[in-house]
Amino acid sequence: MQFSLWLALVGAGAMISLTPGAGAINTMSNALTSGFRRSFWGILGQQVALVIHVIVVAAGVGIIVSSSPFLFLLIRYVGAAYLVYLGIRKLLAKAETADAGDVPAAVEHGFSMFRRGLWVNLLNPKAIVFFLAFMPQFIRPSEPLLAQYVILTATVVVIDIIVMWFVFAAGAKQLKHLTTSERGQLILNRIFGILFIGVGVALALA
């Protein structure tokens, strides 16, 4: 991949990652409830889903999904339902008494955050359609394909990790003071619950 083309990929990847969505909401929520460092588990799950999307598109399965109304709608509505489910869980969540420090008293298991991050990104059919339109812009059929896909995937994943962790998770620290009181925690739960439900409804209706 030419350096100029790679720079264009970096710019496009940064703009995509900086666009708020379910992944950003999930990352901020994890950072507030489990701490900045542990929020990386959820980010890692989101990246695994991203890699799977790239593989699906590269293998040609993405064309089948995007061209099949039934499969597309099935994934779309399952993904929307999952986001609404996460939102309802947030709305019903009770406040936890937190200790002093970066990590609250009740810490969610890392695998649980990883799994949620995986499904949040994986159950988004628009990601498949997006990569179908996005990837060909940076892939040259006349050059070795495997190396190009590896560079593209690694670049997009690294950029998304940086943005999720150092922009959205770090940005959530500005709201950290609200987690020190039960009222503040309930307010945050309501905010993120509504955001999850809103994104889920938008995914279902878009």
Side-chain angles (χ1 to χ4, degrees):
M1 182 178 292
Q2 296 179 348
F3 184 67
S4 58
L5 186 63
W6 181 78
L7 286 179
L9 173 63
V10 170
M15 287 189 292
I16 294 163
S17 295
L18 285 168
T19 303
I25 295 171
N26 185 58
T27 297
M28 294 183 70
S29 176
N30 286 339
L32 286 169
T33 57
S34 298
F36 171 74
R37 287 170 294 181
R38 289 181 57 79
S39 68
F40 188 77
W41 284 105
I43 296 173
L44 185 60
Q46 292 171 199
Q47 303 317 307
V48 172
L50 188 152
V51 172
I52 293 174
H53 279 307
V54 173
I55 293 174
V56 165
V57 171
V61 180
I63 297 176
I64 298 175
V65 173
S66 63
S67 61
S68 170
F70 174 76
L71 286 177
F72 185 86
L73 288 177
L74 177 63
I75 299 175
R76 173 180 170 183
Y77 288 129
V78 170
Y82 182 65
L83 291 175
V84 171
Y85 163 74
L86 293 179
I88 293 175
R89 282 190 60 183
K90 274 291 180 183
L91 291 176
L92 298 178
K94 297 180 181 179
E96 298 284 352
T97 302
D99 295 329
D102 184 54
V103 182
V107 179
E108 183 179 5
H109 195 279
F111 180 72
S112 176
M113 287 187 285
F114 173 88
R115 183 178 55 205
R116 184 169 61 250
L118 174 68
W119 287 115
V120 163
N121 267 10
L122 197 59
L123 292 174
N124 184 359
K126 287 190 173 182
I128 297 178
V129 175
F130 168 77
F131 277 114
L132 277 172
F134 176 80
M135 288 173 56
Q137 310 302 321
F138 302 97
I139 298 296
R140 297 294 178 262
S142 59
E143 300 176 12
L145 293 178
L146 180 59
Q148 294 184 78
Y149 280 121
V150 170
I151 293 173
L152 183 147
T153 304
T155 300
V156 172
V157 166
V158 170
I159 290 173
D160 200 55
I161 289 175
I162 292 173
V163 171
M164 288 297 141
W165 211 18
F166 294 104
V167 175
F168 292 111
K173 282 187 173 183
Q174 306 304 316
L175 302 174
K176 188 66 177 178
H177 64 281
L178 293 176
T179 64
T180 58
S181 68
E182 290 190 7
R183 177 177 173 79
Q185 291 179 50
L186 290 175
I187 291 175
L188 288 175
N189 286 340
R190 301 298 183 272
I191 291 174
F192 283 100
I194 292 172
L195 287 174
F196 271 122
I197 292 174
V199 173
V201 172
L203 177 62
L205 298 180

